[in-house]
Amino acid sequence: MKKLLLMVLLMAGAGILPASAQRHVKHISSWGAHLGRSETGDYYELSYTPMLTNRLALRLSGGYEHGALAFRGEYSVYQGRVLVSPQLFRLGEFAYVHLLVGAGAGYEWTNQNGTGEAANGSNEPQRFTYGPQAGLEADFFLGNRLSLVATGTKGYLFNNPLVDQWPGMAGVGLRYHFR
């Protein structure tokens, strides 16, 4: 985390500070890298976010979550999310707060490396899940092109998930904005 903060500060001081008039305008896009904690493990996520209007974005992301559960052992979840992101408010040109509403789908795999208790015949160690998700996201701009992102989401999963019925995630990341 210290290395990430040092990299952000160095990039912000390296002249990536163009005029701030183009932060949240139509046709601006961004790539993001995020890491954080779920309620049962760690997750990593890559995102692409195009601005559809000056106050509405579409957030597309793919992620990987891993951890260990008491009865199912080590697990991995590969997931994708599509979220509509209307702007709730902003603080000058520094912070933009967005609502996240959409859906996600994932592939869960438990009992990896023989670490969980033996599953009975009716429980499979792998499953596809899907469901709605909602949350909040805040961009804190370090320049016109680079922002520090804080995200929190909560969802509900269908198809009898193996890891968590109500998954929650909180994380931080960096986002690069471009035209």
Side-chain angles (χ1 to χ4, degrees):
M1 189 62 171
K2 289 179 184 179
K3 289 180 183 180
L4 178 67
L5 182 58
L6 178 62
M7 186 178 81
V8 169
L9 293 175
L10 289 175
M11 290 182 74
I16 307 176
L17 300 172
S20 62
Q22 298 181 12
R23 292 207 172 139
H24 269 65
V25 295
K26 187 176 179 181
H27 302 302
I28 292 284
S29 297
S30 62
W31 286 102
H34 316 268
L35 58 99
R37 294 277 306 159
S38 68
E39 294 173 4
T40 56
D42 298 320
Y43 82 92
Y44 310 95
E45 184 175 43
L46 294 175
S47 67
Y48 173 69
T49 307
M51 292 297 294
L52 303 175
T53 69
N54 292 354
R55 297 179 52 84
L56 181 66
L58 179 66
R59 187 174 189 277
L60 308 169
S61 65
Y64 170 71
E65 178 186 347
H66 66 92
L69 300 170
F71 297 107
R72 295 204 174 262
E74 294 176 12
Y75 75 90
S76 293
V77 179
Y78 300 93
Q79 58 191 339
R81 300 193 291 180
V82 176
L83 303 164
V84 176
S85 181
Q87 180 181 314
L88 294 177
F89 63 90
R90 69 181 188 152
L91 300 173
E93 293 287 323
F94 171 67
Y96 292 78
V97 177
H98 290 263
L99 177 67
L100 299 172
V101 178
Y107 180 76
E108 300 178 346
W109 181 18
T110 61
N111 293 328
Q112 292 180 329
N113 304 320
T115 56
E117 292 181 3
N120 60 31
S122 64
N123 288 334
E124 293 292 323
Q126 301 175 28
R127 184 155 301 151
F128 176 76
T129 60
Y130 52 91
Q133 296 196 357
L136 291 174
E137 184 167 75
D139 273 304
F140 301 99
F141 279 84
L142 305 172
N144 198 40
R145 302 263 182 219
L146 191 65
S147 65
L148 184 63
V149 182
T151 307
T153 60
K154 189 74 172 170
Y156 180 81
L157 295 178
F158 298 104
N159 199 22
N160 298 320
L162 302 170
V163 177
D164 193 358
Q165 184 86 36
W166 292 89
M169 297 180 181
V172 297
L174 283 176
R175 188 174 279 161
Y176 177 75
H177 304 264
F178 61 94
R179 199 173 257 276

